[in-house]
Amino acid sequence: MDLKASDLSVARGGVPVLQGVNFTLAPGSALVLRGPNGIGKTTLLRTVAGLQPPFAGRIEGAEDRIAYAAHADGIKPTLSVAENLGFWAQVFGTDDIALALQAYGLTDLADRAAGTLSAGQKRRLGLARLLVTGRPVWVLDEPTVSLDVAAVAMFADVVATHLGQGGAVLIATHIDLGLDATLLDVSDLRARPPALDDPEEDFL
């Protein structure tokens, strides 16, 4: 099933930031968002992921199919690496965390408390959550933050495998991950500022 945005407008704090967003994300495909900082990429991703309603337009094909990863790693520092992944596996009704541990080089860290990990290790653990969700559409906001070159390569391999298995990825990143992806530059989709009323009307 495709994930489709039709004439989508998204808002931050009630103020539209992007408008006229249209895309179709088919199984096995990746769509990379580009645009300057602050233009609304995060707001768009949060809207697609269902964390806030669209200002206008429609999103189709998202129901219970999306796993979202943003700037926060979403881990419990007092739980071990394995316990963190086990928790998310239970939330999403899956039970195998071995693949996620292996894919991100976390097997040897499985019993370590997440709070003692380095920033890069925490990021890898946060991204490993995607593999235990069982969800086909990944919506990712700058996922390579805090990752070194080797970890970025791990992540790119995981995404490529996900796409090869029929998954789909919507991602905001400035890093070239070597993926066969479509680019969507949202620079030209900045929402027009609302028209201001005649200030004299306030005194009539």
Side-chain angles (χ1 to χ4, degrees), residues 28-87:
S29 65
L31 179 63
V32 176
L33 300 181
R34 293 284 168 80
N37 291 338
I39 196 170
K41 298 187 298 295
T42 292
T43 303
L44 175 57
L45 293 175
R46 286 177 54 83
T47 303
V48 172
L51 299 178
Q52 64 182 64
F55 188 79
R58 294 192 304 166
I59 301 169
E60 302 173 82
E63 300 81 1
D64 296 327
R65 300 177 64 239
I66 289 178
Y68 176 68
H71 303 134
D73 295 319
I75 62 178
K76 298 288 187 181
T78 58
L79 298 181
S80 70
V81 168
E83 288 169 339
N84 268 280
L85 287 176
F87 169 80

Side-chain angles (χ1 to χ4, degrees), residues 170-194:
L170 174 62
I171 179 173
T173 181
H174 298 285
I175 302 295
D176 183 2
L177 298 172
L179 303 174
D180 182 12
T182 300
L183 299 181
L184 175 60
D185 191 331
V186 298
S187 301
D188 295 332
L189 302 177
R190 190 190 303 268
R192 293 185 298 274

Side-chain angles (χ1 to χ4, degrees), residues 74-146:
I75 62 178
K76 298 288 187 181
T78 58
L79 298 181
S80 70
V81 168
E83 288 169 339
N84 268 280
L85 287 176
F87 169 80
W88 287 109
Q90 290 180 352
V91 168
F92 288 96
T94 60
D95 55 11
D96 186 9
I97 67 170
L99 176 62
L101 289 169
Q102 181 180 2
Y104 282 99
L106 296 169
T107 303
D108 291 342
L109 302 173
D111 295 327
R112 183 181 295 186
T116 67
L117 300 177
S118 70
Q121 290 168 338
K122 289 177 181 176
R123 191 60 170 168
R124 281 154 49 196
L125 175 55
L127 292 171
R129 292 181 300 134
L130 296 167
L131 289 170
V132 302
T133 64
R135 296 199 165 183
V137 181
W138 293 353
V139 175
L140 310 174
D141 191 1
E142 299 291 351
T144 58
V145 172
S146 299

